[in-house]
Amino acid sequence: MHENVENAQQEDEVVEEEVDALAEVTRERDVYLDDLQRLKAEFDNYRKRAARDQESLVARAHERLVKELLPVLDDLGRALEAAEQHEEAKLEEGVRLVHRSLLGLVERHGLSEIETEGPFDPHVHEALLTQPGEEAEPGSVLQVLQKGYRLGDRVLRPARVVVSAGGSN
Amino acid sequence: MHENVENAQQEDEVVEEEVDALAEVTRERDVYLDDLQRLKAEFDNYRKRAARDQESLVARAHERLVKELLPVLDDLGRALEAAEQHEEAKLEEGVRLVHRSLLGLVERHGLSEIETEGPFDPHVHEALLTQPGEEAEPGSVLQVLQKGYRLGDRVLRPARVVVSAGGSN
């Protein structure tokens, strides 16, 4: 009888431990499930917002740049008026103004002209023609047909050039 | 004794059920924890990628627009050359070309001029001056001092105008 009671007590303890463990693990499971659902909802919202943000980001980037072009359009309008009235000096001054303001704008945005002095560089130059040139080093740039531009480090457009073939070709 | 055995059996069953339940809930907990950790990592990566994407998105938006400006710069360069050589007809034609290409560019990007015919509209006009005007309706636009522009639906810059104060003011 004494032994039976002890067994029963032990069994009760085991049951109690199991019940405690079950309660603890159930609590953990519920917390994780809750976290998981919350994180899923947050992620979904983030994804939607990111898509919206990207659209408006591109729109605002364009808007800023287009807005910067308005003074250039103003200068150009005045130059056109001068052209219509055949005020040549004013027209010339106007064109110089447009050039300065447009060049300033694109330079602020990282545009720079590709240098064409010296030897032909296939990374930044495109040879459209080769010409004999008595006085020029073979492989040097003789003439620029179209200016080239970099944006930051990237070549946006190579300079189109005529290259010297050297003296006796 | 018989009762004792029955009790013990019942208790065993209870213990077994508890053990089964614990195993099941533990499995669930582990699955949720695993999902949670995986989702957290995915979310982190997404956030980092989104930040990088946004930067390059803005950079590419700018690059596209700046690249579109290159032909305008070319036209402008030719107009400047004509100006330097005092070839007036060529200069005028050049300015018109620059104007057409720049206007085409900004229109493709959604820019439009704000109309200034008719009555003053405070949503799109800014009155810099009020002048008596015998022939004009009071509150109508007499003169445009600076053109205004919309980008899509938004007023990028209001048109700056002179407004009629009517006849006998």
Side-chain angles (χ1 to χ4, degrees):
Chain A
M1 179 62 195
H2 186 255
E3 206 174 279
N4 268 347
V5 169
E6 225 167 51
N7 275 347
Q9 269 179 353
Q10 275 176 0
E11 272 170 16
D12 277 355
E13 272 165 33
V14 169
V15 169
E16 233 165 76
E17 272 169 32
E18 294 286 340
V19 169
D20 283 353
L22 181 62
E24 172 62 19
V25 175
T26 303
R27 201 191 55 77
E28 287 176 2
R29 179 201 62 182
D30 292 346
V31 167
Y32 290 148
L33 179 59
D34 201 49
D35 285 355
L36 187 61
Q37 283 167 341
R38 201 156 346 107
L39 192 65
K40 265 184 188 161
E42 204 187 316
F43 197 177
D44 270 354
N45 285 333
Y46 188 90
R47 252 193 282 249
K48 281 177 203 152
R49 204 175 51 234
R52 273 201 309 274
D53 283 356
Q54 287 196 346
E55 273 177 40
S56 73
L57 212 64
V58 169
R60 267 180 293 140
H62 273 157
E63 183 177 315
R64 263 197 313 271
L65 224 161
V66 169
K67 200 167 184 174
E68 284 182 59
L69 282 171
L70 299 188
V72 182
L73 279 171
D74 291 339
D75 292 341
L76 198 51
R78 277 189 287 270
L80 272 179
E81 273 171 37
E84 269 153 30
Q85 325 234 311
H86 301 286
E87 299 176 85
E88 307 302 355
K90 235 177 145 180
L91 170 57
E92 276 194 36
E93 180 45 35
V95 173
R96 270 177 244 283
L97 202 63
V98 172
H99 185 246
R100 257 203 308 282
S101 54
L102 190 56
L103 210 61
L105 186 158
V106 292
E107 280 172 358
R108 278 198 304 283
H109 284 275
L111 195 80
S112 59
E113 220 175 275
I114 286 171
E115 60 293 348
T116 47
E117 292 288 304
F120 175 77
D121 176 355
H123 296 105
V124 294
H125 301 148
E126 189 183 325
L128 292 191
L129 278 172
T130 309
Q131 272 177 4
E134 288 295 332
E135 282 151 42
E137 282 282 300
S140 66
V141 173
L142 284 177
Q143 195 192 340
V144 180
L145 300 174
Q146 189 184 46
K147 283 181 181 177
Y149 292 97
R150 274 195 190 84
L151 192 66
D153 294 334
R154 295 190 46 199
V155 175
L156 210 54
R157 186 175 82 182
R160 299 201 160 107
V161 298
V162 180
V163 180
S164 165
S168 47
N169 285 36
Chain B
M1 179 64 195
H2 185 254
E3 206 174 279
N4 268 347
V5 169
E6 226 167 50
N7 275 346
Q9 270 179 353
Q10 276 176 2
E11 272 168 17
D12 278 355
E13 272 165 32
V14 169
V15 170
E16 233 164 77
E17 273 169 32
E18 293 286 338
V19 169
D20 283 353
L22 181 62
E24 173 62 17
V25 175
T26 303
R27 201 191 55 77
E28 286 176 2
R29 181 202 63 182
D30 291 347
V31 166
Y32 290 148
L33 179 59
D34 201 49
D35 285 355
L36 187 62
Q37 284 166 340
R38 199 158 346 107
L39 193 64
K40 266 184 189 163
E42 204 187 315
F43 197 177
D44 271 355
N45 285 335
Y46 188 90
R47 253 193 281 250
K48 281 177 204 151
R49 203 175 51 233
R52 273 200 308 274
D53 283 356
Q54 288 195 346
E55 273 177 42
S56 75
L57 212 63
V58 169
R60 265 180 294 140
H62 272 157
E63 181 176 314
R64 262 197 313 270
L65 224 160
V66 169
K67 199 166 183 174
E68 284 183 59
L69 282 170
L70 298 188
V72 182
L73 280 170
D74 291 340
D75 292 341
L76 198 51
R78 276 188 288 270
L80 272 178
E81 273 171 37
E84 269 153 32
Q85 326 235 310
H86 301 285
E87 300 178 87
E88 307 303 355
K90 235 177 147 182
L91 170 57
E92 277 195 35
E93 180 45 36
V95 172
R96 270 178 244 283
L97 201 64
V98 172
H99 185 247
R100 256 204 309 281
S101 54
L102 190 55
L103 209 63
L105 186 159
V106 291
E107 280 171 359
R108 276 197 306 280
H109 284 276
L111 196 80
S112 59
E113 220 175 277
I114 285 172
E115 59 293 347
T116 48
E117 292 287 306
F120 175 77
D121 177 355
H123 296 104
V124 294
H125 301 148
E126 189 183 324
L128 291 191
L129 278 172
T130 309
Q131 272 178 3
E134 288 295 331
E135 284 151 42
E137 282 283 301
S140 66
V141 172
L142 285 177
Q143 196 191 339
V144 181
L145 300 174
Q146 190 185 44
K147 283 181 180 177
Y149 293 97
R150 273 194 190 84
L151 191 66
D153 294 333
R154 295 191 45 199
V155 175
L156 210 55
R157 187 175 81 181
R160 298 197 161 110
V161 297
V162 180
V163 181
S164 167
S168 47
N169 284 37

